[in-house]
Amino acid sequence: MNELLWLLVGIIVGGTAAWLVAKFKFSGNNGSASELKMERERVEDLKAQNVEFKKDLETERTKVIELNNNLASTEADYRNLQERLAEQKQELKSLQDQFAVQFKNLANEIFEEKTKKFTDQNKTNLSEILNPLREKIGEFEKKVELSSKENLQYSTALKEQLVGLKELNRQMTKETENLTRALKGDSKAQGNWGEMQIELILEKAGLQKDIHYFKEKNFKTEDQQNQRPDYIILMPDDKAIVLDSKVSLTAYANYFDAEPDRQVGLLKQHLDSVNGHIKMLSEKKYQNIHDINQPDYVMMFIANEPALTVALKEDQDLYEKALDRNIVLV
């Protein structure tokens, strides 16, 4: 660039000088000495300006060279700075990666430590809770197993007793049918016979008089009236059942032996007799005796099962009617 500038200046100066010489030659024949002098002075001024211009140009050239050197230095510094910045970025990224790894490791260590501590604490807490519970469950299982064995033994014994009672009842029914004719028309004999059947059943069941049951035990009502139920049977847990015997065999025996045309009336008499016994027993209100712990009903025992079956068949609501009066027919 500097060489091109010098070439341009030289062309301008050379052209100007050539023009002046040509002009001088051209005017040498026609011009005066004064004009020649003036032209020479101009040439000298131009030479002086050219020298001054060269100096300025040299100065500018020096500045340009200095600026170029500064620019090269600046560019080198810029490249160095870029390289340093890239290195610092790489170092920063490396540090960030290291910090991330260290933070992750630290977080994992803290989490594992807390998890282990939490697990150990939970194991301790669960052990404190589950150990007593495990002991209680073990005790409960032992009690359930013992209770199951006892219930099984009790159920077996009860089943045997029920089988014995069923057989005894079957025998008593046969005996009752055989005795029916002998008891016809004698209410007192029928009542004694019914009580005898009750005591036979209780004795066969292994119950002892005045220990497990009481006969005609006297109780006082609130108005000091005497109440003497036929039987008080003691039950577990200080409970008791009132059992009263009512025998209705006269009409039933006649019904059993009568011709079909007379059976309708005799069956009605038998049913009236049973209803009369229910009404009579209900009016005694044995279920209100406060000296014993009993249900709010009384059991009415009819010794002859066929007699009770015939009555229930004739009046299908008989059992419910008795219940309405707090009487259970057995």
Side-chain angles (χ1 to χ4, degrees):
M1 181 179 179
N2 291 331
E3 288 77 4
L4 181 62
L5 184 60
W6 279 109
L7 179 61
L8 181 62
V9 172
I11 292 172
I12 293 173
V13 173
T16 303
W19 179 75
L20 289 175
V21 171
K23 184 179 179 182
F24 176 74
K25 289 182 176 182
F26 178 76
S27 61
N29 298 321
N30 300 320
S32 61
S34 59
E35 290 178 352
L36 181 59
K37 182 179 180 180
M38 290 176 62
E39 293 298 330
R40 288 178 178 175
E41 290 177 355
R42 288 181 182 177
V43 171
E44 293 297 329
D45 290 338
L46 286 172
K47 289 181 179 181
Q49 290 177 5
N50 186 31
V51 172
E52 187 68 27
F53 183 75
K54 286 182 178 180
K55 290 181 180 180
D56 294 338
L57 186 60
E58 186 65 27
T59 301
E60 293 298 327
R61 181 183 178 185
T62 303
K63 290 181 180 181
V64 169
I65 293 172
E66 183 178 355
L67 288 174
N68 286 335
N69 292 333
N70 292 336
L71 178 60
S73 177
T74 302
E75 289 177 349
D77 293 339
Y78 177 73
R79 286 193 297 270
N80 292 334
L81 288 174
Q82 283 185 326
E83 293 175 358
R84 182 58 182 167
L85 179 61
E87 293 175 357
Q88 290 181 347
K89 286 183 178 180
Q90 186 63 32
E91 292 177 357
L92 179 60
K93 185 177 182 304
S94 178
L95 288 175
Q96 287 177 343
D97 294 340
Q98 293 178 6
F99 286 149
V101 173
Q102 292 177 358
F103 179 79
K104 183 178 180 181
N105 294 335
L106 180 61
N108 289 335
E109 290 177 2
I110 295 175
F111 178 77
E112 291 175 358
E113 181 181 357
K114 294 296 183 183
T115 301
K116 184 176 182 302
K117 184 180 294 185
F118 179 75
T119 302
D120 294 340
Q121 185 66 34
N122 280 347
K123 287 182 179 178
T124 302
N125 294 338
L126 286 174
S127 297
E128 293 176 355
I129 295 174
L130 293 179
N131 286 339
L133 181 60
R134 190 177 295 111
E135 293 175 1
K136 294 294 184 182
I137 291 175
E139 294 176 1
F140 178 74
E141 288 177 346
K142 291 180 181 178
K143 290 182 179 179
V144 169
E145 184 178 358
L146 180 60
S147 178
S148 298
K149 291 181 179 178
E150 292 178 350
N151 288 338
L152 180 61
Q153 293 174 356
Y154 177 78
S155 298
T156 302
L158 182 60
K159 183 178 180 180
E160 293 175 354
Q161 292 181 2
L162 289 175
V163 171
L165 287 175
K166 183 177 180 181
E167 182 62 27
L168 178 62
N169 186 52
R170 184 181 297 117
Q171 294 176 2
M172 289 177 58
T173 300
K174 292 180 180 179
E175 293 175 0
T176 300
E177 292 175 352
N178 294 331
L179 290 173
T180 299
R181 291 182 177 83
L183 298 175
K184 288 181 180 180
D186 191 343
S187 299
K188 178 61 176 175
Q190 291 180 7
N192 292 337
W193 178 79
E195 292 176 0
M196 181 182 67
Q197 301 308 309
I198 290 179
E199 293 198 25
L200 285 174
I201 292 174
L202 297 176
E203 289 176 1
K204 291 293 185 180
L207 303 182
Q208 300 178 19
K209 188 176 182 180
D210 297 330
I211 297 178
H212 302 116
Y213 71 92
F214 299 92
K215 180 179 180 181
E216 296 184 352
K217 187 174 181 179
N218 189 65
F219 295 93
K220 292 287 185 180
T221 63
E222 294 181 355
D223 55 358
Q224 299 302 311
Q225 297 293 323
N226 292 322
Q227 284 186 316
R228 299 173 64 87
D230 287 349
Y231 292 91
I232 303 293
I233 302 174
L234 302 182
M235 304 294 289
D237 300 326
D238 295 329
K239 295 181 180 179
I241 293 179
V242 175
L243 182 64
D244 201 89
S245 175
K246 299 297 181 185
V247 180
S248 297
L249 292 179
T250 303
Y252 170 73
N254 293 331
Y255 160 80
F256 190 84
D257 294 334
E259 296 296 330
D261 58 343
R262 296 183 59 246
Q263 284 184 338
V264 176
L266 293 172
L267 182 57
K268 184 178 182 306
Q269 291 179 17
H270 173 59
L271 188 60
D272 291 341
S273 175
V274 174
N275 281 314
H277 286 308
I278 293 173
K279 182 175 181 296
M280 183 188 306
L281 181 57
S282 173
E283 291 173 351
K284 292 181 179 180
K285 298 186 182 301
Y286 288 153
Q287 68 273 12
N288 294 333
I289 297 176
H290 299 292
D291 294 338
I292 55 176
N293 183 15
Q294 62 167 323
D296 57 355
Y297 59 85
V298 175
M299 303 181 75
M300 178 174 144
F301 176 76
I302 298 179
N304 187 273
E305 183 175 355
L308 176 60
T309 302
V310 169
L312 291 173
K313 185 177 180 181
E314 179 66 17
D315 185 356
Q316 297 181 359
D317 296 329
L318 181 62
Y319 194 86
E320 285 72 17
K321 291 177 182 178
L323 282 178
D324 292 339
R325 292 178 175 268
N326 295 63
I327 304 296
V328 177
L329 300 177
V330 295

